[in-house]
Amino acid sequence: MPIDPKLNVVPFVSVDHMMKLVLKVGIDAFLTELAAEIEKDFRRWPIFDKTPRVGSHSQEGVIELMPTSDGALYGFKYVNGHPKNTHQGRQTVTAFGVLSDVGNGYPLLLSEMTILTALRTAATSALAAKYLARSNSNTMAIIGNGAQSEFQARAFRAIVGIQELRLFDIDASATRKCTRNLTGLGFNIVECGSVAEAVEGADIITTVTADKQFATILSDNHVGPGVHINAVGGDCPGKTEISKEVLLRSDIFVEYPPQTWIEGDIQQLPRSHPVTELWQVMTGDATGRAGDRQITMFDSVGFAIEDFSALRYVRDKISEFGMFTELDLLADPDEPRDLYGMLLRCGKTLEVVGSR
Ligand code: NAD
């Protein structure tokens, strides 16, 4: 169903529609196409409005707003991070987002972004690894086998060519769930009893745990030469995964430094420490991996431009596949200044209904 720009309704993509859209496009195709859109936007990085996301922190977690604009479109995401939520049957991370027309300020799309965040995070991670991991990378350890983990596995297979997964979680039932969900896709999956066992022989180590503390998931002795670290779970002040010793041995790549210094694993380092912006590696303005023994690390925190790309991509896809409903979100009086008159006219229809 094409989106009719003349109608004053906003397309809304629910969780149900998002799942059906992703499955219609195909999970691998969705991840690959989304990564290409993210790369396209990273390559025009300087033109975007950028700000560290605005976080509201509590004992239990964080609620954040993530805005950006390329001058033609504006997007923002509302997202939370509450590690204890899973104990009450809720998601750790849940999100929704809006894409708007900068020219008139009207929203063009309202979408669920819980599933979309998992997809865009995995697509961005795999895209970073395409530039930073050794080109013959075949084996990935995933530490933390929760909601994000299968998306990471699928993106790394589709974009980087990962075949073998070595899984570890402090909760063995999470690992079993991850194995179950990834069985039959051609992965060779090894369930491991410790971080040390999981990282054995891994070309890439993904850390995607949730714990609101300075945790040390990856210690110095876990990381050998040539490894690429995809550090996803340390994404909040006071919430880290990688030991300082590992950071000091790695060449570190980030999305937007002013945000990553606040939220990423690099919050453990002095701000004078050198970090490279990932977009500059993509444009060729900075060097990515320089040799086979170098340890590279993508200190992922998730930046607004990735969500912007994802919303842009979803808007294109729903024009092709449908999978949205129309939301009556915009007031539309016949004479734009007669908003009050529109309210009164609505009252008259209520009286008619009420008098029956
Ligand atoms: P989740 O709660 O579904 O899963 C987290 C898993 O980590 C759980 O299975 C838990 O048992 C495991 N875990 C906790 N401590 C561990 C430890 N010490 N060792 C091994 N496993 C451990 O959460 P999720 O939705 O998968 O998110 C994971 C993390 O990724 C969160 O911290 C979230 O904030 C972060 N995240 C980052 C981005 C980004 O763009 N960088 C995007 C989305 C989520």
Side-chain angles (χ1 to χ4, degrees), residues 50 77 102 132 141 165 260 310:
K50 292 177 284 296
K77 180 169 86 172
V102 168
L132 300 175
L165 297 173
T260 314

Side-chain angles (χ1 to χ4, degrees), residues 108-176:
L108 297 167
L109 175 71
L110 172 63
S111 178
E112 89 78 41
M113 289 194 79
T114 304
I115 295 165
L116 195 55
T117 292
L119 289 157
R120 76 78 157 125
T121 302
T124 307
S125 283
L127 184 59
K130 190 179 84 172
Y131 281 94
L132 300 175
R134 291 193 323 276
S135 58
N136 57 353
S137 295
N138 175 60
T139 301
M140 177 160 85
I142 306 184
I143 318 296
N145 303 149
Q148 309 299 317
S149 60
E150 296 93 340
F151 295 89
Q152 291 280 330
R154 296 283 305 246
F156 273 78
R157 195 184 59 168
I159 295 164
V160 183
I162 289 299
Q163 301 286 338
E164 176 158 336
L165 297 173
R166 301 180 64 79
L167 307 178
F168 173 69
D169 195 296
I170 42 168
D171 179 351
S173 70
T175 304
R176 285 197 296 275

Side-chain angles (χ1 to χ4, degrees), residues 309-326:
S309 315
L311 288 167
R312 210 168 47 61
Y313 174 69
V314 165
R315 190 158 194 281
D316 284 351
K317 285 288 155 190
I318 62 171
S319 300
E320 194 182 332
F321 289 92
M323 300 301 163
F324 65 92
T325 47
E326 292 175 337

Side-chain angles (χ1 to χ4, degrees), residues 53 77 80-83 86 91-93 117-118 120-121 143-149 168-171 174 177 195 207-211 215-217 231-235 239 241 255 300-303 306:
R53 60 184 155 196
K77 180 169 86 172
N80 77 304
H82 286 70
T86 48
Q91 294 288 302
T92 296
V93 176
T117 292
R120 76 78 157 125
T121 302
I143 318 296
N145 303 149
Q148 309 299 317
S149 60
F168 173 69
D169 195 296
I170 42 168
D171 179 351
K177 176 251 357 170
V195 173
T207 55
V208 63
T209 65
D211 205 348
T216 303
I217 308 296
V232 178
D235 62 350
K239 177 164 169 264
E241 295 179 310
E255 291 141 316
S300 157
V301 292
F303 188 58
E306 295 145 35

